[in-house]
Amino acid sequence: MDPILFLLFAAIAVVCGITVVVQTHPITSALALIGVMGSLAVLYLLLGAQFIAAAQVIVYAGAIMVLFIFVIMLLNAGRERKTRGSFLARLIGPPLLVLLLGVVTFVILAVVPRDAVVKFGSYTGGTVENLGRAIFTTYLWPFEITSVLVLIAIVGAVALAYKELD
Amino acid sequence: MNFYLLAVIKAAVVVGVLMITLLYLQWVERKVIAHIQVRLGPYNVGAHGLLQPIADTLKLLTKEDLLPPGVNRFYFILAPFLAITLSLVSISVIPFGPEIHIGPVNTWLQLTDLNIGVIFVLAISSLTVYGIVLAGWSSNSKYPLLGALRSSAQMISYELPLGMAVAATLLLSNSLSLRKIVETQSAWYGGFFPAWNLFRMPFPQVFGFVIFVIAVFAETNRVPFDLPEAESELVAGFHTEYSSMKFAGFFMAEYANMVTVTCMATALYLGGWLPLWPASMGSNYAPAAAFALAGGICIYSGLQARKRDRLSLSVFGALFLLVAALFLIPVVQALLVPLFWFLAKTGLLLLLFIWVRGTLPRFRYDQLMRFGWSFMFPVAVANLLITGLLVALVG
Amino acid sequence: MHHTSFYVLPGMQHLWLIPALPLLGFLINGLLGRRLPKAVIHSIAVGTVALAFVWVLKTVIALQPLATPHVERYFDWIRVGDLRIGVDLAADRLTAVMLLVVTGVGLLIHIYSIGYMAHEGGYYRFFAYLNLFMFFMLTLVLAANYLLMFVGWEGVGLCSYLLIGFWFPKKSATNAANKAFIVNRIGDFGFTLALFLLYLNFKSLDFGTVFSGLAGWHTDTGMGTLTIIGLLLLVGATGKSAQLPLYVWLPDAMEGPTPVSALIHAATMVTAGVYMIARSAPLFLKAPIAMDWVAGIGLATAFFAATIGMVQTDIKRVFAYSTVSQLGYMFLGVGTGAFGAGIFHLVTHAFFKALLFLGAGSVIHALSGEQDMRRMGGLWKKTPVTFGVMLAATVAIAGIPPFSGFWSKDEILVNAWQRSPVLFWIGVLTAAMTSFYVFRALFLVFFGTYRGEAHAHESPPVMTVPLALLAVLSLGGGLFQVSKWLAPMFPEHAPPDSPLLLAASISAAFGGALVAFALYWWRPGLADVFARRLKWLYVAALNKYKVDEIYGATVVRPLVGTSREVLWRGIDVEVIDGLVNGVGRRAVGIGSLLRLAQSGYIRSYAAWVLLGAVSLLIALGLLGGVR
Amino acid sequence: MPNAVPLSWYLALSAVLFTLGVAGFLFRRNIITMFMSIELMLNAVNLTFVAFSYRLKQIDGQVFTFFVMVVAAAEAAVGLAIILIVFKNRATLQVDDLRTMKD
């Protein structure tokens, strides 16, 4: 059962990911990205991270991507023009990407032990209780500081938006 | 009995019931509003227009499914499906009743119980905005676009107070699984008063409940928050360009959302399937009594109704009495009483929705936003803080 | 590492509070003072010092009899290799004496300043500096190792600089401040070298460790090393305590407000050198040559400064040279192994010299800024209280029995006699001169006819009350048996006080007083006669033997010259600027090349980043960690 | 078919997604799409975090994912606001048009 689920959603994720990259229309990319996020959420469930899965949907799909779509709709962003800038990116981009993927895969294969397998349900530590405990004890300071960061982001966004308005 | 088979059966039952409910919810709404406005409402298609919904459905099915020029075909078609799917998904974690035993089978009256059920529902409801946004955007027409922007803004704004209110109940019930949340409300104060989260010590969630209800009114784009489809200014909002079955899709989605949120409210605040007073005080006979009463009323009003209604009303009366009798059978009682309570509570909430629609005028958009941000949100936060404080101190 | 954490000894006394309190005052006044009303400012400043004083009393009482040092380790300050410098405070009998003097006299002077500075600008600045000084001085005294002591040492130097230049609009004030600072730096250089040597030889700077380590030092080489260390410490001490040849900054330091002169340049800071030598007594006892140098320099300074003091006309300068001379006395004491006596004299001197300065301040205040004694006179009617306290201070410093100065000075002299009669007789002569110039000042200021025109008036009680208290201390200070109390710490060879010596010192005191009486009261004309007869000597002394000019010619000008010609014109302009400009030019050249890479396309930059990331990955993944 | 998935598959998946994200950033010309590519990379990294948290049976990885989400949210808010302004001033979303620093 596990491999089927994994392969299914991994396939969805990869296909959507490719769509994000190849599609020239922002909306399509955005929706494809939502697809990636959704399938990742399922994978998180398989990895026993229920809360993160839910948070993935709420935060990424429910909030961040909504923002993106808002902006796309607001600016009515159409298909992108074919501009011929950045010769360099097109020159060294592809080989580098291949190299990147190759190296990382190699490292993964080299480092991760063969016997390391993921079995659905064999680890269910990702409960809200555990996560909450970790966040409010071990990671209390980072958490608080993050709240400050978010506040700053809010203020910054509002300030910029005001300027955008008038 | 096979797990999958059981699951399939349960799913089939739930979806079937839900679909019928959706159909007849519209009928009920039309009737109730009609009577609020001193009209008869649907009357001619079947007795008291009971077949009206089916007629409507057939009409929508047979209408031409036209695709306006210049729309973004893919998303235009995707949108309604997205909407209805998302609105149906979250019903799967709603607990309709306790564990029941039919012969060898022991099962819960619930499709599945996630230990993050509440968050799951919130997550899904945070996605419902996409259906609307896509519909509005892909229609490539200004009213839908405005309607979509409005409704999504509105949904996002009201999701915060919603989440806050829900969080407060979680503090009381100390779990995210809807089933457990209901079970934690099963106590009785003084042996007779229900310990639902609505009345739960140390801090009864009265405010939370009110906030929740108002917020879901906005979430479901219902009156008085139905600006997205404010016909006076936006024609029909995001689904202006839609027709036939796709339009029906949005329609169903809206009602499905209503059902879902009322079920949520029931489970979170009104003790789900738990009775209003303990079984020791004969709450098991409440359904029988209720149906008997309804049957009595029907027959009585049938007796001095006009000729045409005389028959139908008394037939209904008879049916109700039959159901009442059914509820007196111990086995059936054991199975259906919790279900009765759940549906009764949900039904009352749905009636509230309809009643409000028949009563209140529509907000202006800025009023809506100001209300959401500068009243609902602070109150919800305060409610959450007080609850947390009291739970920490007392609990 | 028990002492890495703030751990509590049995009977923790929280010594850290003592310096911490004035620091608090400094922070409050320094940060907020500009906005605070004067009342708040001085109540904070005085309050913190008063609390510190109370805490000192409590601690000293609690630690009775304080036979062994009470050390409190708070946390590690420096920890490099085997070098460990902790922020450790220690209290023993010597510290207790110093603490009482510093906080006690400091408190009185703080109170006095309220009146004295009432009409000055920068009120909060003044009190902030004073508090800061108290903090550093107490750190210096309480430190349990040489480096922490050095911190206080430098800190008080800084505060002295700030306060001398308190009226910075006056050029002379800033010059004096710079002079004090620079001269002190020379001394500190010696101190620093001493610290290095100490660490090299003892692998630690803790007093305890160093002194216990001394036990193993008998060999001549060891003696040599110790002598060098002692001499270097002495250099530091001469700087801080204004001894020959580095005394020149102290007279100029009188540019600062009078309370500063009293607190820093009479009672406390300048005695730091004496304290430091007494603190290092075990080391000096093993380095007799260094001891002799201490005694010699002390005596020379005492005599030399006294001669200058006899002819000065600026009242504050008189007392400044008197301070130098008295400090010389203390050096003589500690140099002759009479550490107890030296500290004893330090204490009494703190009393009467602070009193002298404050009294002088009161006079100056009364005459609204007049400092020249030739333009004073007959003030005893106008300012009776001031006159009374000045009289008390005078008899105390002049060594008239039974007042405080007599006892401490007598002890030092007796010990000097032990070492050699020569020291003794010079000391007696100095004592006579001391008595002479203080009485001269007294007569010039308070008797005869008033020669100025400013309208004199008595100072407010906020100034006179501290004066009165100090007067009591100056008169009765001899009752404190300081040297007896310190006896357990130092191998005190309490010598028999022979009547001859007693008579000598007493007669010296009265002799000086009589001469002054004769020259400035009985026959005022005589002074000028003497001055004309011994013109060369008089002029030389009046011009302070032109020491400043000599230093200027021999040290300062060459230094400035070389700096300007070689360092500035040569190295700075040619080499450094050349280098900098060269680098700049190169940068421009390289930049013009790099500019080609700046296409302005974000995605190109991203590509570069990717290139870097991938190469890094390859480096890490293939060459590095994996397998 | 074994009823378990090698951990390396998850990591490989995240590697693929990450590479896709980089590719998107390199080859797309629309600021918003590039921004979304960044989000894609973040998600890929999150996957590795969660996978390792599974492997080590420790919650910390998920905590990091949580933080990454928060930061991503903040970043999206500000970034999109900036994009709005850029569009307001330049009336374009094409990155290649935005090179005033160069000329």
Side-chain angles (χ1 to χ4, degrees), chain D residues 38-91:
Chain D
I38 298 177
E39 295 294 337
L40 184 55
M41 293 188 242
L42 284 175
N43 271 277
V45 176
N46 283 353
L47 181 57
T48 52
F49 270 129
V50 176
F52 281 121
S53 125
Y54 176 95
R55 168 64 176 161
L56 305 170
K57 302 279 180 281
Q58 284 172 352
I59 197 77
D60 306 60
Q62 300 184 16
V63 176
F64 278 99
T65 314
F66 179 79
F67 282 130
V68 172
M69 285 183 187
V70 179
V71 174
E75 164 223 7
V78 177
L80 288 171
I82 293 173
I83 289 180
L84 280 179
I85 293 186
V86 169
F87 187 80
K88 177 85 175 172
N89 298 339
R90 297 284 162 68

Side-chain angles (χ1 to χ4, degrees), chain C residues 356-580:
Chain C
L356 278 176
F357 270 113
L358 296 185
S362 175
V363 171
I364 297 167
H365 193 257
L367 300 179
S368 44
E370 180 55 68
Q371 298 198 5
D372 189 339
M373 294 190 293
R374 288 168 302 188
R375 319 195 52 201
M376 301 178 185
L379 290 181
W380 68 275
K381 288 186 296 307
K382 301 212 179 71
T383 60
V385 183
T386 312
F387 168 62
V389 297
M390 287 294 270
L391 182 61
T394 309
V395 292
I397 185 176
I400 309 282
F403 307 119
S404 58
F406 166 74
W407 302 105
S408 49
K409 205 178 287 188
D410 183 53
E411 263 187 50
I412 292 177
L413 288 175
V414 172
N415 282 281
W417 175 270
Q418 293 289 317
R419 183 61 65 90
S420 91
V422 182
L423 298 180
F424 172 80
W425 287 118
I426 303 179
V428 169
L429 184 54
T430 314
M433 294 196 286
T434 311
S435 159
F436 168 77
Y437 62 68
V438 283
F439 273 101
R440 165 173 177 267
L442 191 70
F443 288 125
L444 279 176
V445 174
F446 290 100
F447 295 98
T449 55
Y450 180 50
R451 300 179 289 277
E453 54 279 347
H455 163 65
H457 57 85
E458 181 58 277
S459 303
V462 67
M463 291 165 65
T464 49
V465 171
L467 289 176
L469 287 173
L470 277 172
V472 175
L473 288 170
S474 316
L475 297 179
L479 299 177
F480 302 131
Q481 298 291 0
V482 177
S483 44
K484 294 249 179 323
W485 201 55
L486 293 177
M489 291 187 60
F490 310 112
E492 198 79 27
H493 35 83
D497 200 346
S498 68
L500 163 66
L501 309 184
L502 208 55
S505 63
I506 295 177
S507 51
F510 280 105
L514 280 178
V515 176
F517 173 75
L519 292 185
Y520 294 96
W521 175 242
W522 180 54
R523 286 269 185 281
L526 273 178
D528 308 338
V529 178
F530 276 99
R532 246 178 278 104
R533 286 289 160 72
L534 305 168
K535 191 167 185 52
W536 59 277
L537 190 57
Y538 176 77
V539 172
L542 192 58
N543 300 334
K544 311 159 204 138
Y545 306 112
K546 298 220 178 277
V547 173
D548 284 331
E549 289 73 3
I550 297 164
Y551 282 179
T554 55
V555 185
V556 180
R557 196 172 301 111
L559 207 60
V560 174
T562 40
S563 322
R564 182 183 298 116
E565 294 311 323
V566 181
L567 295 179
W568 176 34
R569 296 250 165 76
I571 295 176
D572 190 40
V573 174
E574 291 305 324
V575 183
I576 299 176
D577 292 3
L579 274 176
V580 174

Side-chain angles (χ1 to χ4, degrees), chain A residues 32-80:
Chain A
L33 189 51
I34 297 170
V36 176
M37 289 161 173
S39 40
L40 281 186
V42 177
L43 294 181
Y44 292 161
L45 278 180
L46 290 182
L47 288 165
Q50 306 98 326
F51 178 74
I52 291 297
Q56 167 92 353
V57 177
I58 294 181
V59 176
Y60 267 124
I64 299 182
M65 292 319 291
V66 172
L67 273 183
F68 272 96
I69 294 199
F70 256 41
V71 174
I72 295 171
M73 283 165 56
L74 217 59
L75 308 184
N76 196 359
R79 301 192 174 281
E80 65 185 26

